[in-house]
């Protein structure tokens, strides 16, 4: 298991991506059941509504590149999707050392309405066949194609009813398989489901979302004149950083009792709508966002991640595009602290919010390419160190540092100044 890529839908321009060589004990997977059980350990989470391709190399069947995209709702898109993912994985493998000798395909989707898992398998069979044809056209065979649904799996390749019955085969209970034991020994984690991870970053709904949007309207009306005025724009930046630090301290002093959604509810209650709105708008400034990115390690990482997640959830209604900044920061902290699966999901959501957000594009690409984040961490540490003398001069009466150049509002009437990425 050496490579990984996360993407949400075909429009996200999926790309092959390595994540470094595996360490720890090796394990041999000999059956469709063991392949099905291994999937969440390869990705770091349980995929939902996902098409996953895994490259296989050599006589021993070593796992290589992995690619995940969302399953298109419209079957008319399946043929294009099949060609894109096959080309992306195979060409990417060739660029990085060798063409795969085979591919394992997973189609993961839960039933809708009164649909059964077996019906899901039947409905997705044409997509599996298109992927097999697309891979075959590039001279790489699909060794196995599995559908995972409703706690069971089916093979589209194996015709033997003894090991792959028509009613499907029940997946092993979580944590009970040989793969689970080996993964635990190697320190691999499965961080819940894709749906759960995305849910922690999704916009709020209902009455609280309406209140958050009104607060963003108020903050935009008050902040825009100050940002456009060169004399006060730097003050806004300093206020934004000060507010962010205050909120991080507040979170540090009020750790959640539980994880998951209960922790998110706790964090949401710690933030007032007006202060969250001011911080969201302030982070649209590139320089302020870059300073915030420095809080990516040691005791600052945990409260920063909680804050960025909470701010992403406040980017509601007409301000959905503003979520690109806190989502990218959440992804960066996750990647910096070793949680690559969550990082890729956060970067993907940032690009869904704003496909042109350059900061997210660069970090997403670097993470997918398996680049060590330490290089970027050191750059941010150096920038922080170099700013200390300037801060001392500012407190002595010199002009505080600000972003060079003039800020111009970007796309849309809601977009605030400082949105260069």
């Amino acid at each position: 298991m050496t490579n990984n890529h996360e993407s949400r839908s075909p429009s996200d321009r999926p790309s092959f991506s390595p994540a470094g060589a595996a360490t720890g004990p090796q394990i041999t997977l000999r059956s469709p059941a063991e392949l099905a059980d291994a999937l969440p350990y390869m990705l770091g989470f349980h995929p939902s509504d996902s098409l996953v391709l895994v490259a296989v190399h050599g006589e021993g069947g070593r796992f290589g590149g992995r690619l995940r995209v969302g399953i298109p709702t419209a079957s008319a898109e399946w043929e294009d999707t099949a060609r894109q993912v096959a080309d992306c994985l195979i060409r990417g493998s060739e660029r990085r050392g060798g063409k795969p000798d085979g591919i394992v395909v997973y189609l993961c989707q839960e039933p809708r309405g009164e649909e059964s898992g077996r019906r899901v398998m039947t409905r997705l069979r044409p997509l599996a066949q298109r992927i097999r044809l697309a891979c075959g056209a590039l001279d790489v065979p699909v060794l196995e194609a599995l559908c995972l649904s409703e706690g069971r799996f089916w093979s589209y390749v194996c015709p033997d009813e003894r090991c792959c019955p028509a009613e499907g085969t029940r997946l092993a209970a979580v944590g009970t398989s040989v793969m689970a034991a080996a993964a635990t020994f190697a320190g691999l984690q499965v961080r819940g489901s894709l749906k759960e991870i995305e849910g922690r970053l999704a916009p709020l709904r209902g009455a609280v979302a309406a209140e958050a949007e009104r607060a963003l309207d108020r903050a935009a009306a008050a902040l825009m004149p100050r940002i456009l005025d060169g004399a006060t724009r730097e003050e806004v930046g300093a206020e934004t950083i000060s507010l962010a630090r205050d909120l991080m301290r507040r979170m540090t002093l009020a750790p959640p009792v539980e994880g998951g959604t209960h922790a998110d509810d706790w964090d949401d209650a710690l933030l007032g709508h007006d202060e969250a709105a001011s911080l969201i708008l302030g982070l649209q400034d590139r320089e302020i966002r870059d300073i915030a990115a420095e809080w990516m390690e040691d005791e600052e990482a945990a409260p920063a991640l909680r804050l960025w997640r909470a701010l992403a959830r406040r980017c509601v209604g007409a301000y959905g595009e503003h979520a690109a900044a806190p989502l990218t920061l959440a992804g960066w902290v996750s990647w910096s602290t070793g949680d690559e699966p969550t990082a890729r999901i956060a970067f993907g959501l940032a690009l869904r919010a704003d496909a042109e957000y350059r900061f997210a594009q660069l970090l997403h690409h670097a993470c997918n390419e398996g680049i060590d984040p330490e290089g970027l961490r050191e750059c941010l540490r150096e920038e922080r160190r170099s700013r200390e003398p300037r801060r001392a001069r500012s407190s002595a009466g010199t002009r505080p540092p600000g972003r060079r150049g003039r800020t111009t509002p970007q796309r849309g009437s809601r977009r605030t100044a400082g949105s260069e990425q």
Side-chain angles (χ1 to χ4, degrees):
M1 301 176 227
T2 60
N3 304 318
N4 204 346
H5 168 75
E6 302 310 328
S7 180
R8 186 65 186 96
S9 68
S11 62
D12 286 329
R13 300 182 300 278
S15 62
F16 171 90
S17 54
T23 58
Q26 302 295 310
I27 183 168
T28 301
L29 307 177
R30 294 186 172 88
S31 68
E34 291 176 342
L35 285 171
D37 184 58
L39 180 60
Y41 298 99
M42 287 190 278
L43 297 181
F45 57 87
H46 294 276
S48 52
D49 194 25
S50 296
L51 162 61
V52 181
L53 272 66
V54 181
V56 179
H57 298 268
E59 293 183 3
R62 175 181 58 84
F63 284 160
R66 283 163 284 177
L67 181 150
R68 189 201 68 81
V69 297
I71 297 176
T73 303
S75 59
E77 300 177 20
W78 287 358
E79 187 165 352
D80 284 342
T81 298
R83 285 199 299 265
Q84 289 176 26
V85 296
D87 183 78
C88 185
L89 182 62
I90 294 170
R91 302 303 183 200
S93 295
E94 289 176 328
R95 289 194 304 271
R96 290 161 179 83
K99 188 173 185 177
D101 295 294
I103 288 177
V104 177
V105 176
Y106 298 87
L107 294 170
C108 310
Q109 193 171 80
E110 291 306 302
R112 301 166 182 170
E114 298 182 0
E115 189 179 38
S116 66
R118 184 173 180 179
R119 176 58 187 160
V120 172
M121 180 273 295
T122 302
R123 175 168 53 79
L124 295 179
R125 185 184 293 276
L127 175 56
Q129 181 62 17
R130 284 172 170 79
I131 295 168
R132 294 178 72 181
L133 291 173
C135 293
L138 297 172
D139 296 322
V140 179
V142 169
L143 305 177
E144 183 60 89
L146 301 175
C147 177
L148 280 64
S149 183
E150 207 174 28
R152 293 179 175 269
F153 72 88
W154 291 260
S155 172
Y156 292 116
V157 173
C158 179
D160 192 341
E161 283 276 337
R162 291 172 297 179
C163 64
C164 298
E167 65 272 16
T169 304
R170 185 164 297 280
L171 292 165
V174 176
T176 63
S177 66
V178 174
M179 181 67 201
T184 300
F185 182 76
L188 299 177
Q189 289 183 293
V190 178
R191 296 170 173 83
S193 70
L194 173 64
K195 184 177 180 180
E196 290 168 346
I197 296 172
E198 289 188 335
R200 302 193 69 182
L201 300 166
L204 299 173
R205 297 182 178 181
V208 67
E211 293 176 14
E213 186 168 13
R214 286 193 293 269
L216 284 161
D217 285 337
R218 291 192 299 270
L223 209 57
M224 182 66 75
R226 298 184 63 202
I227 292 177
L228 294 178
D229 183 351
T232 57
R233 182 179 169 280
E234 291 176 350
E235 295 176 8
V236 173
E239 291 167 6
T240 300
I241 293 300
S242 177
L243 175 59
R245 290 185 180 280
D246 288 345
L247 295 179
M248 286 172 58
R249 280 192 291 269
R250 186 184 303 172
M251 290 187 163
T252 300
L253 294 173
V257 177
E258 300 181 51
T261 56
H262 294 295
D264 295 338
D265 292 341
W266 174 266
D267 289 344
D268 289 337
L270 292 174
L271 301 184
H273 286 304
D274 289 323
E275 57 191 2
S278 295
L279 188 48
I280 288 168
L281 295 175
L283 287 173
Q284 305 308 305
D285 183 282
R286 179 174 62 87
E287 183 171 288
I288 300 309
R289 181 209 62 203
D290 289 350
I291 293 174
E294 296 169 2
W295 309 326
M296 77 296 187
E297 57 188 347
D298 300 329
E299 69 279 356
E300 293 177 327
L305 180 57
R306 291 169 61 191
L307 178 58
W308 307 145
R309 282 196 300 239
L311 294 180
R313 293 191 291 270
R314 300 289 180 105
C315 295
V316 297
Y319 296 88
E321 204 175 62
H322 288 66
L327 284 169
T328 305
L329 289 169
W332 164 236
V333 175
S334 298
W335 183 28
S336 179
T337 55
D339 185 357
E340 292 185 13
T342 300
R344 291 189 183 92
I345 293 170
F347 293 146
L349 290 174
L351 291 172
R352 195 192 305 178
D354 184 352
E356 303 303 320
Y357 197 67
R358 187 63 174 163
F359 190 41
Q361 290 175 341
L362 293 172
L363 290 181
H364 196 210
H365 177 74
C367 185
N368 285 338
E369 288 295 310
I371 296 173
D372 189 342
E374 177 57 24
L376 180 53
R377 281 197 297 258
E378 183 53 38
C379 288
L380 291 171
R381 294 185 198 113
E382 180 59 33
E383 179 63 24
R384 192 172 191 171
R385 287 190 293 264
S386 69
R387 204 169 48 252
E388 294 303 320
R390 287 183 283 168
R391 185 179 301 165
R393 290 195 300 270
S394 297
S395 63
T398 58
R399 184 183 178 93
R403 187 173 128 209
R404 293 187 299 274
R406 190 171 179 179
T407 303
T408 304
Q410 301 291 307
R411 300 184 304 276
S413 59
R414 300 279 190 178
R415 191 74 165 176
T416 62
S419 58
E420 180 185 341
Q421 295 137 8

